[in-house]
């Protein structure tokens, strides 16, 4: 099982070629993870893979590869669930996704983008099913899950699958732009115009995500694509980085530091300097070579869907709350189901302390009404209705009696 806690064999470096073919795309990649300043163990996982060579690893040094006909894969997963559940979930996601990509893509005869994206989608589904089945068979891990941001490079295009709120950015010409959308409550409220990005960062509900691998039998991943240019840097990260380091800071550190290993170290140091409340993971991949066109002012960077015909698979969304560090090991931590409120309630008026959010995993029950109160309410309604009818009858009687007088 490939995970951050069990380093795989180093990827063999591709020897430099001279002269370089006109279609050559050079990839320099490095990944790093850190427990942060609050957590006592690391539940993140990541991996990079040369799919043409069929070699996957957690690199211990910068690897330089030449993109082949089967492309490359980059993955960050942020586990959750309490105790060791999150660590198990993220590692299982890495293993399942790599295994499915080997079966459906590496071993296949075609190299077209649609088949590539479909293989990534199947791999995401396989990971969800594996984690969900494991949690079902082990009740102590009920609710375990993980985010997953998967980026596959094929030719001059990145193809991405997004589940949860880990992120992917492209840094180009000193500017970082996010190319994934968080599957989170805050993102929905921002899109609806209910909150600004600044307000969302301060919200008590900022850790509520709408998708994760594992908690439910079905997922709906977000499939997108992004053309890359010479000199672009892909940044994949868990929210331990994106929640503490702004995209402008990411752009500055990645642009000013030419070495991807040193840049990843600077990013993690900045996240820890800003508090480090969560595990921090980052994968940096820098793209170069004559096979890529240079950047143009007409190029666009952003969230662009890659539509695939539906295969009829159910894709029910699930709302999951990521527990804060102290609650990850608390018994009873679980995902929040559809229809359950996630809005914290205020304390009673007699409580002198300010309002606090409910403990993670605690459902907010709807107000209950006793049978006695229901009965009293109905009696009051009938009494008021009777009074209205009597008053109307009396008014009509007086009116008719008045008509009969001379």
């Amino acid at each position: 099982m490939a995970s951050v806690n069990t380093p795989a064999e180093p990827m063999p470096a591709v020897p430099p070629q001279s002269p370089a073919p006109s279609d050559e795309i050079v990839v320099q990649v490095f990944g790093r993870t850190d427990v942060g300043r609050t957590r006592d163990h690391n539940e993140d996982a990541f991996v990079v893979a040369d799919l043409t060579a069929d070699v996957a690893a957690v690199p211990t040094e910068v690897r330089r590869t030449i993109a082949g006909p089967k492309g490359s894969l980059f993955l960050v997963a942020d586990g959750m669930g309490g105790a060791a559940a999150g660590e198990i979930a993220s590692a299982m996601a890495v293993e399942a996704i790599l295994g499915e990509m080997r079966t459906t893509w590496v071993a296949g005869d075609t190299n077209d983008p649609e088949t590539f994206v479909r293989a990534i989608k199947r791999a995401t589904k396989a990971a969800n099913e594996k984690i969900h089945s494991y949690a079902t068979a082990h009740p102590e891990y009920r609710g375990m899950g993980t985010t997953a941001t998967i980026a596959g490079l094929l030719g001059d295009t990145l193809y991405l699958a997004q589940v949860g709120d880990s992120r992917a950015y492209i840094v180009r010409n000193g500017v970082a732009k996010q190319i994934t959308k968080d599957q989170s409550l805050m993102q929905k409220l921002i899109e609806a115009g209910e909150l600004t990005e600044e307000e969302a960062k301060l919200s008590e509900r900022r850790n509520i995500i709408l998708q994760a691998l594992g908690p439910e039998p079905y997922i709906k991943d977000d499939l997108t694509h992004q053309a890359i240019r010479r000199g672009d840097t892909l940044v994949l990260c868990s929210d331990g980085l994106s929640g503490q380091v702004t995209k402008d800071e990411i752009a500055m550190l990645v642009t000013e530091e030419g070495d991807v290993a040193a840049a990843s170290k600077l990013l993690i140091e900045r996240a820890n300097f800003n508090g480090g409340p969560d595990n921090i993971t980052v994968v940096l991949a820098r793209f170069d070579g004559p096979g890529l066109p240079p950047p143009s002012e007409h190029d666009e960077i952003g969230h662009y869907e890659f539509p695939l015909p539906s295969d009829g698979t159910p894709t029910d969304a699930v709302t999951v709350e990521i527990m804060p560090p102290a609650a990850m090991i608390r018994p009873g931590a679980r995902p929040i189901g559809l229809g359950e409120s996630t809005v914290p309630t205020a304390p009673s008026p007699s409580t002198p302390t300010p309002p606090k959010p409910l403990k993670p995993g605690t459902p907010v029950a709807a107000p209950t009404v006793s049978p006695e109160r229901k009965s009293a309410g109905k009696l009051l309604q009938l009494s008021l209705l009777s009074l209205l009818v009597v008053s109307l009858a009396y008014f009509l009687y007086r009116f008719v009696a008045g008509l009969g007088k001379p």
Side-chain angles (χ1 to χ4, degrees):
M1 182 178 293
S3 75
V4 297
N5 298 315
T6 308
E9 292 297 322
M11 294 174 61
V14 176
Q17 301 178 11
S18 181
S22 60
D23 61 347
E24 184 177 271
I25 299 175
V26 181
V27 182
Q28 294 186 68
V29 62
F30 187 78
R32 190 185 298 269
T33 189
D34 188 85
V35 71
R37 299 180 63 182
T38 302
R39 300 288 183 87
D40 57 7
H41 64 291
N42 199 336
E43 297 186 317
D44 287 0
F46 74 93
V47 74
V48 299
D50 181 345
L51 298 177
T52 303
D54 192 14
V55 176
V58 176
T60 56
E61 61 181 354
V62 177
R63 308 312 303 170
R64 179 184 180 274
T65 62
I66 306 300
K70 287 293 182 179
S72 304
L73 193 77
F74 317 99
L75 164 64
V76 165
D78 180 357
M80 58 189 175
E87 184 177 340
I88 293 172
S90 60
M92 288 178 69
V94 169
E95 182 182 56
I97 289 168
L98 288 176
E100 189 68 20
M101 289 299 294
R102 287 188 173 109
T103 301
T104 61
W105 173 250
V106 175
D109 298 327
T110 59
N111 299 330
D112 63 284
E114 182 174 328
T115 304
F116 188 47
V117 175
R118 201 172 289 280
I120 293 174
K121 181 179 177 67
R122 289 194 186 114
T124 308
K125 177 183 176 184
N128 184 71
E129 291 175 346
K130 182 173 183 177
I131 298 168
H132 183 73
S133 296
Y134 185 88
T136 301
H138 299 81
E140 66 273 23
Y141 293 137
R142 179 175 177 263
M144 68 185 289
T146 181
T147 70
T149 298
I150 310 163
L153 174 68
L154 188 66
D156 64 353
T157 304
L158 286 168
Y159 300 93
L160 301 104
Q162 173 76 3
V163 180
D165 65 348
S166 295
R167 290 184 178 180
Y169 298 90
I170 287 290
V171 178
R172 179 182 299 171
N173 294 332
V175 178
K177 293 189 177 180
Q178 189 175 339
I179 58 174
T180 55
K181 277 188 179 180
D182 297 351
Q183 293 182 329
S184 67
L185 176 61
M186 291 298 99
Q187 179 65 34
K188 293 295 184 183
L189 293 177
I190 291 171
E191 292 176 357
E194 298 293 330
L195 289 178
T196 65
E197 290 188 10
E198 291 70 24
E199 291 170 336
K201 291 177 183 178
L202 302 175
S203 173
E204 294 177 345
R205 297 176 288 171
R206 63 185 177 274
N207 289 329
I208 298 174
I209 63 174
L210 305 179
Q211 288 276 280
L213 297 178
E216 293 291 322
Y218 306 114
I219 56 165
K220 184 177 181 181
D221 47 5
D222 185 19
L223 302 173
T224 57
H225 60 112
Q226 174 65 53
I228 59 172
R229 297 292 181 257
R230 194 180 308 161
D232 281 357
T233 300
L234 169 70
V235 180
L236 294 186
C237 62
S238 61
D239 68 337
L241 180 74
S242 61
Q244 302 300 314
V245 184
T246 69
K247 64 180 181 180
D248 290 338
E249 290 176 306
I250 292 173
M252 178 188 69
L253 294 173
V254 169
T255 302
E256 292 182 354
E257 177 52 68
D259 180 75
V260 289
S264 66
K265 183 174 184 291
L266 290 173
L267 288 168
I268 288 179
E269 287 176 348
R270 180 64 61 93
N272 275 324
F273 179 80
N274 292 339
D278 201 352
N279 303 147
I280 311 160
T281 299
V282 60
V283 172
L284 298 182
R286 186 161 288 159
F287 308 112
D288 212 332
L292 292 174
S296 164
E297 62 180 9
H298 303 295
D299 295 334
E300 295 183 351
I301 303 176
H303 178 269
Y304 300 105
E305 293 185 4
F306 188 97
L308 278 179
S310 173
D311 58 4
T313 302
T315 54
D316 298 333
V318 54
T319 301
V320 181
E321 182 175 358
I322 301 177
M323 290 50 171
M328 292 296 287
I329 58 173
R330 189 175 299 165
R334 65 170 185 82
I336 296 176
L338 284 174
E340 260 182 75
S341 173
T342 57
V343 180
T345 59
S348 62
S350 60
T351 305
T353 56
K356 294 182 179 179
L358 292 178
K359 291 182 179 180
T362 303
V364 181
T368 57
V369 180
S370 65
E372 293 80 9
R373 292 191 65 182
K374 287 183 179 180
S375 178
K378 290 181 179 179
L379 181 60
L380 180 60
Q381 290 176 358
L382 290 175
S383 300
L384 291 174
L385 182 60
S386 300
L387 181 60
L388 179 62
V389 171
V390 171
S391 299
L392 181 60
Y394 178 77
F395 174 80
L396 291 175
Y397 169 77
R398 294 294 302 270
F399 178 77
V400 172
L403 291 177
K405 291 183 179 179

